Amino acid sequence: MNFQNNYLLSQVTTLKIGGPAKEFVSVQTEKELIEAITYARQKNLPFLVIGGGSNLLVADEGVEKLVIQNRITGIFQKGNNLIVKSGTILQDLVNFTIEKGLTGINKLTGVPGTVGGAIYGNAGAYGSGISDKLVELICFDPTSEEKVVLKTEECGFGYRDSNFKRNNLIILEANFDLTPGNLEELKKESEEIKRKRDGKYPPGIKCPGSFYKNFVASELSTDVLVNIPKEKIVYGKVPAGALLEMVGAKGDRIDGIEIASYHANLFINNGTGTAKDFYNLAKKYAEKVKQKFGITLEPEVQLINLPPIA
Ligand SMILES: Cc1cc2nc3c(=O)[nH]c(=O)nc-3n(C[C@H](O)[C@H](O)[C@H](O)COP(=O)(O)OP(=O)(O)OC[C@H]3O[C@@H](n4cnc5c(N)ncnc54)[C@H](O)[C@@H]3O)c2cc1C
């Protein structure tokens, strides 16, 4: 395995921002993953497993950790069941399901990153979520150094949330139970979604996806809801973008980081942006939203070596 010192994480994040990891290694097999963890233990170095780096804001100072990039891939079909290794690129899984005429994951077409990263954050799009058709997972517990099998209901999935954000389990393998569908319809739907997504996220855009989580309207108090125009509530959610737009976020910028003129929850790096500028711009508008609506925005993106935005 090729352990690299002071590896710039901007090379492996879709935002193209992030300072050096003390050490970095890419792993292709479970054996290598476990060896990398053992290596970190021996060096007394904390470790962080990442997938496609598409949901990360990493500090300009980097991290004093061994960053392990998960490249353990593979899709194995047993009827309508798919056993998928967690480092598999989500789009590869989506393409596989479409080719096999299986529905359940196809609406996630265009969501970057790996299957493991998607499960960690319970990624979703167009009313469909990665956990919808998940049956069980195999994880590695670095504390006991053993594998654990978890049923979907044991994973605490919620809106862009799972227990993996609070435990330190590493997702190794997922078992999905999909439903047979019509191949041509699946292809058509996927192409339509791709077209819509390309409008919002043009290929090559340097961003980590939407920065803040939307709110489930039914979970907000009436004191808060009274200040939010009803037409802003879509599919039972109050989009963070709508709140950010109402406090004037669209088009604002700090140096190389700009908020999209067409989407107030999309912070884009023009190529010269820093994590500091991103953080300060995001914080500025979280404070404005708090002031106007009495509501605390919560990042969907994982902050690495940065203080919480409260
Ligand atoms: C252009 C663009 C569009 C996007 N659109 C959407 C969208 O429509 N819907 C949506 O939900 N998200 C969207 N995202 C966000 C992102 O794509 C998802 O969150 C994605 O699932 C993250 O996967 P990843 O492999 O890149 O994770 P990473 O960014 O590498 O990691 C994210 C977190 O997951 C943890 N993690 C990764 N792998 C594992 C593992 N095997 N075991 C345990 N923990 C792990 C990491 O430690 C980290 O905390 C978008 C992002 C971009 C850049």
Side-chain angles (χ1 to χ4, degrees):
M1 273 188 292
N2 183 19
F3 289 92
Q4 299 180 66
N5 290 317
N6 296 320
Y7 184 92
L8 273 184
L9 292 171
S10 55
Q11 298 173 85
V12 290
T13 60
T14 54
L15 179 60
K16 302 293 174 216
I17 283 178
K22 180 140 173 71
E23 294 203 42
F24 178 90
V25 69
S26 204
V27 297
Q28 321 278 330
T29 62
E30 287 177 15
K31 188 167 168 280
E32 284 185 355
L33 173 75
I34 292 165
E35 277 171 25
I37 293 170
T38 308
Y39 172 89
R41 285 252 163 75
Q42 283 163 355
K43 292 193 103 181
N44 231 349
L45 200 58
F47 66 87
L48 170 72
V49 175
I50 65 164
S54 65
N55 211 211
L56 302 178
L57 174 60
V58 181
D60 301 313
E61 294 73 27
V63 275
E64 282 291 300
K65 290 186 180 181
L66 167 66
V67 172
I68 305 173
Q69 185 188 44
N70 177 10
R71 286 284 174 265
I72 309 167
T73 62
I75 305 174
F76 308 92
Q77 184 175 11
K78 290 182 190 163
N80 295 337
N81 269 84
L82 297 184
I83 310 291
V84 186
K85 297 289 180 189
S86 61
T88 302
I89 299 298
L90 182 60
Q91 187 65 48
D92 291 346
L93 173 61
V94 168
N95 293 344
F96 185 94
T97 66
I98 294 173
E99 278 160 27
K100 300 288 175 187
L102 294 168
T103 70
I105 290 184
N106 48 299
K107 287 188 183 168
L108 295 177
T109 192
V111 176
T114 61
V115 171
I119 292 170
Y120 176 94
N122 197 13
Y126 296 94
S128 179
I130 190 79
S131 60
D132 295 355
K133 299 286 178 175
L134 191 64
V135 182
E136 66 177 29
L137 289 172
I138 300 179
C139 299
F140 180 71
D141 181 347
T143 311
S144 64
E145 299 189 354
E146 282 181 2
K147 283 188 181 178
V148 283
V149 179
L150 293 176
K151 297 278 174 214
T152 305
E153 51 278 17
E154 294 174 296
C155 300
F157 288 115
Y159 171 66
R160 299 291 178 274
D161 194 36
S162 76
N163 288 346
F164 302 106
K165 290 192 170 179
R166 291 165 290 278
N167 61 31
N168 59 354
L169 296 182
I170 300 164
I171 301 153
L172 295 177
E173 188 177 294
N175 179 339
F176 297 96
D177 186 17
L178 303 178
T179 315
N182 179 295
L183 194 132
E184 287 313 313
E185 278 172 22
L186 287 171
K187 273 191 184 155
K188 200 167 151 240
E189 189 179 45
S190 149
E191 277 158 18
E192 273 165 25
I193 291 178
K194 190 173 178 318
R195 237 189 333 273
K196 282 190 207 157
R197 292 189 66 99
D198 281 352
K200 183 171 167 190
Y201 301 112
I205 188 173
K206 298 179 187 67
C207 77
S210 295
F211 186 70
Y212 287 113
K213 284 184 183 180
N214 297 329
F215 292 93
V216 178
S218 60
E219 291 174 3
L220 295 174
S221 73
T222 40
D223 291 358
V224 168
L225 277 174
V226 80
N227 295 317
I228 299 170
K230 282 210 170 45
E231 67 273 14
K232 300 283 182 197
I233 302 175
V234 194
Y235 297 119
K237 303 256 169 51
V238 178
L243 303 177
L244 289 160
E245 184 178 344
M246 285 188 278
V247 294
K250 273 184 173 175
D252 195 8
R253 68 184 312 147
I254 298 183
D255 293 335
I257 304 294
E258 182 171 353
I259 301 175
S261 56
Y262 56 91
H263 181 24
N265 197 15
L266 181 57
F267 293 64
I268 303 168
N269 173 15
N270 74 2
T272 63
T274 63
K276 184 166 172 261
D277 293 338
F278 192 118
Y279 183 93
N280 288 338
L281 191 59
K283 193 173 167 68
K284 171 178 168 183
Y285 283 98
E287 283 167 2
K288 284 183 186 261
V289 166
K290 177 86 182 173
Q291 235 169 20
K292 186 168 168 82
F293 300 103
I295 189 170
T296 304
L297 288 171
E298 191 191 327
E300 180 177 324
V301 169
Q302 300 304 302
L303 305 185
I304 308 295
N305 200 18
L306 287 162
I309 300 182

